[in-house]
Amino acid sequence: MTTVLLHTGQTAPKLERPQPQVRVVRGGRHGLSRARQVALSMLNVLAVALLLGLIVSVVYSQAKITELNGKINEARTDLTAAQSEYDYLSAQMSEITSRSSLQQVAEGELGLVQLDPSQVTYIQLEDENVIEKSSGGAGALLADVRTAALSLLGGLNP
């Protein structure tokens, strides 16, 4: 230790600082072998490629979502138009099929008239009652002629 004189005549001890010990060690980035440097570079390239792939997939997904939203909006517009047309046609159908409208068409355009109740005859048949229409000799002859004509026509057509 060295002593330093103070102005007052006293000496104070001088403190010496210890010197840090420096040691030279091989390593760090410069000490990596060539194969490790290539592997580290490949790892960096792979990480960047993976990141770019994720970014591209997100952008593609957003583009697809936008396209599909456009198609959905188009389909909604078509559906709204179809529903509007359906409502219009249903109203027209209700108007046409109403009783008063049918009566107007029947009487005005077709010339039909209301049925007179005196023109209607009701018949009630019992289980045992049978109505037979008897045909005279002329009716039977006409039926035979008709049957013969039909069989002749059937024979002519192959």
Side-chain angles (χ1 to χ4, degrees):
M1 264 195 195
T2 51
T3 56
V4 177
L5 290 176
L6 296 176
H7 293 287
T8 60
Q10 295 178 351
T11 60
K14 183 178 180 187
L15 299 174
E16 291 184 21
R17 293 186 187 157
Q19 292 292 330
Q21 292 182 355
V22 178
R23 202 173 95 182
V24 177
V25 177
R26 289 184 68 186
R29 188 157 229 203
H30 300 292
L32 291 178
S33 67
R34 184 76 177 143
R36 290 179 111 185
Q37 286 179 350
V38 170
L40 186 60
S41 297
M42 292 300 287
L43 184 62
N44 288 337
V45 168
L46 183 63
V48 169
L50 182 63
L51 183 64
L52 286 176
L54 290 174
I55 291 172
V56 167
S57 68
V58 167
V59 169
Y60 177 76
S61 296
Q62 289 298 323
K64 213 49 161 155
I65 288 171
T66 303
E67 178 185 348
L68 293 175
N69 280 336
K71 287 182 180 181
I72 288 171
N73 289 337
E74 196 175 299
R76 281 186 183 149
T77 303
D78 292 344
L79 177 63
T80 303
Q83 285 175 336
S84 174
E85 184 179 358
Y86 173 77
D87 292 341
Y88 170 75
L89 291 175
S90 292
Q92 290 294 324
M93 184 69 154
S94 295
E95 183 181 326
I96 289 172
T97 57
S98 71
R99 186 171 189 99
S100 62
S101 176
L102 285 175
Q103 186 173 358
Q104 286 175 352
V105 169
E107 290 175 355
E109 294 178 18
L110 299 176
L112 300 177
V113 293
Q114 289 263 344
L115 181 66
D116 184 14
S118 66
Q119 296 174 331
V120 178
T121 305
Y122 294 99
I123 301 174
Q124 183 174 3
L125 296 177
E126 299 293 328
D127 290 339
E128 298 176 10
N129 293 342
V130 177
I131 298 176
E132 289 185 19
K133 183 179 177 187
S134 61
S135 61
L141 180 64
L142 286 176
D144 290 339
V145 170
R146 181 177 178 270
T147 304
L150 288 175
S151 65
L152 179 66
L153 287 175
L156 291 177
N157 287 334

